[in-house]
Amino acid sequence: MLRGESIISHQDTADIPVLMLANKQDLPSSLKVEEIQQAGFTRIAEALSARDSKVLPISALTGYHYLDLILL
């Protein structure tokens, strides 16, 4: 099982899409997608050589964007 930084540098993860779920989007204090991308998500996706990578804003409380997860 791969963990932490070893996932980023492991050869088996090359070109694997990355999907980060940004939960708690129902809270006014939550980080927005742009803030998460600037805080390091883009760097992680690039380090993984991910071609299709995104941050999906969700809310477990309200169900916001959960249908999008099912359709992925």
Side-chain angles (χ1 to χ4, degrees):
M1 182 176 198
L2 300 174
R3 294 183 187 202
E5 291 296 318
S6 64
I7 292 173
I8 293 173
S9 61
H10 198 277
Q11 65 186 16
D12 291 343
T13 59
D15 299 323
I16 293 177
V18 176
L19 174 62
M20 178 181 283
L21 304 178
N23 193 22
K24 301 199 180 282
Q25 292 299 301
D26 54 299
L27 300 177
S29 61
S30 67
L31 290 176
K32 302 304 174 215
V33 170
E34 296 79 19
E35 295 171 311
I36 293 169
Q37 290 170 329
Q38 292 172 357
F41 174 76
T42 304
R43 180 180 45 83
I44 292 168
E46 288 171 356
L48 287 171
S49 301
R51 293 183 205 155
D52 187 18
S53 303
K54 66 189 271 182
V55 178
L56 182 64
I58 65 169
S59 171
L61 181 66
T62 67
Y64 178 69
H65 275 287
Y66 266 76
L67 183 57
D68 293 340
L69 290 174
I70 295 168
L71 298 176
L72 284 177

